[in-house]
Structure formats: C-alpha cells, structure tokens
Amino acid sequence: MTDDWKRQIDRLHRELVRRDDPTEWVVEADAVDASRRYPDLALRGPVFGVAVRTPANPPQDPERAGEWRLLKPVADDTPQGARDTLNSHLWFTAKDDTDDPAVRRELLAAVTRLEHEPLDDLTVCGARYRIVRGDEFVRTGRTGLEPPRPTDPEPADRTWEGRSDPPSPDLDFALVPGRETSPMAAAMKVALQGFAYPGEGFPAAVREESERARTDYPDVVLLPVGFGVAERRSGGWQPRGALMPTPHAARRLLADAMVEFWPGLYEFSDAEREQYARAADEFKAAGRANDVRVGDRAFQICRIERMVRTGPDGPEPPRPSDVDDYGPTQIHPTMDEDGTLHYDS
C-alpha cells in the first residue's frame, strides 16, 4: 500500500471517529470481522450494465454535472444483454416520455443503430450512454462463501408472498472514485486496483486485456453490495438466479424456485416436489436462514460484491474478449416519429 493510500485510510478512520455514529462503527466492525473470517476472493466473472452522463443537470444539483451514473444495474451476464437494456430504455423513452417529433426521431435513430450494431458508447439528445463492465466476486473462507452480514439492511416487511423487492441500489449510483466513507471499503479498493485475471485458467487474450485495464482504467469504484443463491456442485459453488438487492429477496428467490420454478423446469417427480416444498417451508419458517439442503444438493444465500474500473474517459466498457451469446436484433415494434407503432414490420 502506498503512503498516499495509507494517509487516505487514516483520514477515513479519523472521520469515522469524528462522526461518532455507533451504527457506522458496528458496520465497520462487521466488515473487519468478515475480512478475517472470509479473507479470500472468488471471482465469478464479468457483469455489464448501462451508465449515462448528462452534462445539463438541474441547476439545483450542480455537483452531478458531468458525472457518470448508472442508468441500469450492472447485472447482465453479457455486453449484448446490457445493449438490449439500453435499446429498450431509449425505445420506451421515445414512446412514453416525449411528444416532440424531433426528439423521438433522434431516440429512434439510436434504437435502429442498436438493432444492427454492437455499440458500447453513443450520444443521444445530449446524453452520453455507455455499456459498462464490472467484475463480480464473493468472499470465501474455511467455512465456504460469505453469507449476509448482520448489518446488511433488510426490508421492514419480510414477506414471502408477492413481489415487493426494493429497487436496485445501482440505479443512479455515481461511478466516481474516491467517495468511500469506510476505511475497510478504501482498503478493499486498494487491493482491487492491482487485480488482474490470474493463471493459465484464463485464455491469453483475457489475461492480456485484464493487465491492460489496470493501466487504461486504473481506478476502482465499488458498487452496492448484492445477494444471491449459490449451489455447491462438483466441489465448487455455482450461482443460481439473479442478483438481488437484499438478503431476504435472495431467500425468497430460492424458496420460490424450489416450489414454483424448478419442479416444472426439471420435471420433478411427485416425491421430489414434496421434498422441495417441505424444505422450502422449513427454510421460510427459520426466518433468516442462509443454508438449505435437499437430498444431496446444498444451497446458500451469499453476499456478492462488484467493482467497476474507471479511467480519464469514464467507466470501462466491454473488452474484446468478453463473449456474447447472440448479436444485435430488433426487440420492439417499429415506431413512427408521431409515436405510431407498426407490429407487422
């Protein structure tokens, strides 16, 4: 660690003491404990989202001018998935958020480009959009993956019914380095700045681009923590399902999967349906349980962290070695500049 970073972490520590907030102290102590119990990082791989920079911010909020902020969560598995998310955002903006034919034309022209080109950066109506690349990882220790921490926020109403998840904390998150308020977060950032994909387990191009990114995008922004479901398989852990905003949302995702989704998807027998339903009921009755075992299958709720690299021109876009499962395509009906939709084109 450089002397500059030591000074910054010392400053954050002094600021934490000055604020005299017992809640923040408990959160920081929780982070210190986690770093000891789960000292290693396991890389899941890249994730992608959409960021936007709008120079013309409202005058009452001048500090936001020129900042890159997340428009959509950094949670897609492929760059094209994030491009499709941007495509939909611009299409629905043209459909629902403007009555100006000129503005609609510009939005739809961008949609058309996204239907035909794998674009990662484009400017539309004065706003600059970028597909951003992050890395997702979990902490590990002798007991396995890190579960949710006692200080991770939970919804006040932890219902198991319906869909009442809070919005993703990624939305409108500023991709601005140097805004850490926690000494442990700052220390994590220092550790990740030098991170590159290691070993021969990765193709040469992936390793080379990872090394290059340390120079081209030397700073790191830590994204809000998420939560997910992992299954222990073949001696390792495999993710099962989407990134969720709270531990309870991840628990509900697992419970619903065991009862509603997996039985049909995997053609469970009646006995298997009953076995999974019973396990789901026991899991829900436990309240804040983080582990489920069904037969020889083991599932865990885990804490997921992500980072985005940034450089002089903003957040890192997808790398050439990042793989897409499919290419650009039309995903919405054609729209005229007056807002008329054509479903047969």
Side-chain angles (χ1 to χ4, degrees):
M1 184 182 298
T2 66
D3 288 342
D4 179 60
W5 272 107
K6 288 178 182 177
R7 286 194 293 270
Q8 291 191 46
I9 292 174
D10 287 343
R11 174 184 59 78
L12 289 172
H13 179 75
R14 290 193 299 271
E15 178 66 16
L16 185 65
V17 173
R18 186 194 66 77
R19 287 197 297 268
D20 194 22
D21 186 332
T23 300
E24 291 186 351
W25 293 353
V26 172
V27 171
E28 191 70 9
D30 208 10
V32 172
D33 180 61
S35 71
R36 292 169 178 162
R37 296 175 61 193
Y38 302 94
D40 302 317
L41 300 181
L43 177 70
R44 178 176 179 262
V47 284
F48 305 89
V50 182
V52 62
R53 186 173 68 180
T54 52
N57 282 289
Q60 65 271 24
D61 196 7
E63 293 184 0
R64 293 167 57 110
E67 290 183 350
W68 284 97
R69 307 185 77 88
L70 289 179
L71 178 71
K72 300 294 180 181
V74 183
D76 281 302
D77 289 334
T78 65
Q80 189 57 47
R83 294 180 197 116
D84 288 347
T85 299
L86 176 57
N87 180 324
S88 288
H89 170 79
L90 297 175
W91 190 88
F92 279 106
T93 300
K95 176 178 176 291
D96 300 327
D97 294 346
T98 184
D99 292 321
D100 187 330
V103 171
R104 187 176 285 121
R105 279 197 303 271
E106 186 171 352
L107 289 164
L108 293 175
V111 168
T112 298
R113 292 191 65 194
L114 286 165
E115 291 173 346
H116 295 88
E117 304 173 60
L119 299 175
D120 293 327
D121 201 305
L122 72 164
T123 299
V124 188
C125 299
R128 185 178 177 187
Y129 298 89
R130 177 174 292 180
I131 307 303
V132 298
R133 182 194 195 280
D135 274 304
E136 185 176 276
F137 54 91
V138 294
R139 295 174 184 263
T140 66
R142 288 182 297 175
T143 59
L145 305 182
E146 182 187 12
R149 297 175 186 172
T151 49
D152 286 327
E154 293 272 22
D157 180 14
R158 295 195 302 276
T159 179
W160 295 95
E161 307 299 329
R163 286 290 179 271
S164 57
D165 296 332
S168 169
D170 283 11
L171 300 180
D172 203 38
F173 184 83
L175 297 176
V176 178
R179 292 191 177 178
E180 297 80 13
T181 60
S182 156
M184 286 302 296
M188 171 62 83
K189 175 177 172 178
V190 174
L192 291 173
Q193 279 186 307
F195 168 77
Y197 285 18
E200 296 181 357
F202 296 94
V206 172
R207 299 197 307 270
E208 290 168 5
E209 290 167 16
S210 180
E211 291 284 353
R212 192 178 307 124
R214 296 199 299 185
T215 301
D216 295 345
Y217 300 92
D219 226 323
V220 165
V221 175
L222 299 177
L223 299 186
V225 172
F227 304 87
V229 178
E231 179 181 3
R232 189 167 187 84
R233 306 178 72 179
S234 303
W237 291 92
Q238 299 293 325
R240 299 297 303 268
L243 184 73
M244 305 303 287
T246 67
H248 183 73
R251 295 185 188 108
R252 190 170 61 191
L253 177 71
L254 175 56
D256 288 348
M258 289 193 291
V259 175
E260 299 178 14
F261 307 128
W262 294 347
L265 181 63
Y266 301 116
E267 299 181 348
F268 283 180
S269 66
D270 290 343
E272 288 174 318
R273 288 175 182 269
E274 182 179 348
Q275 184 183 29
Y276 276 79
R278 185 168 58 251
D281 287 341
E282 293 173 356
F283 179 60
K284 290 190 287 187
R288 293 195 179 192
N290 292 316
D291 299 279
V292 179
R293 182 173 290 276
V294 188
D296 60 353
R297 301 179 71 181
F299 305 95
Q300 181 185 329
I301 306 303
C302 59
R303 195 175 195 272
I304 299 173
E305 301 186 55
R306 295 163 298 154
M307 72 171 192
V308 168
R309 286 193 172 277
T310 66
D313 189 41
E316 181 185 15
R319 299 171 187 171
S321 61
D322 291 324
V323 177
D324 280 316
D325 297 327
Y326 59 93
T329 188
Q330 182 174 354
I331 57 179
H332 294 290
T334 301
M335 188 188 313
D336 287 344
E337 66 177 35
D338 62 2
T340 301
L341 302 182
H342 299 274
Y343 293 93
D344 55 351
S345 59

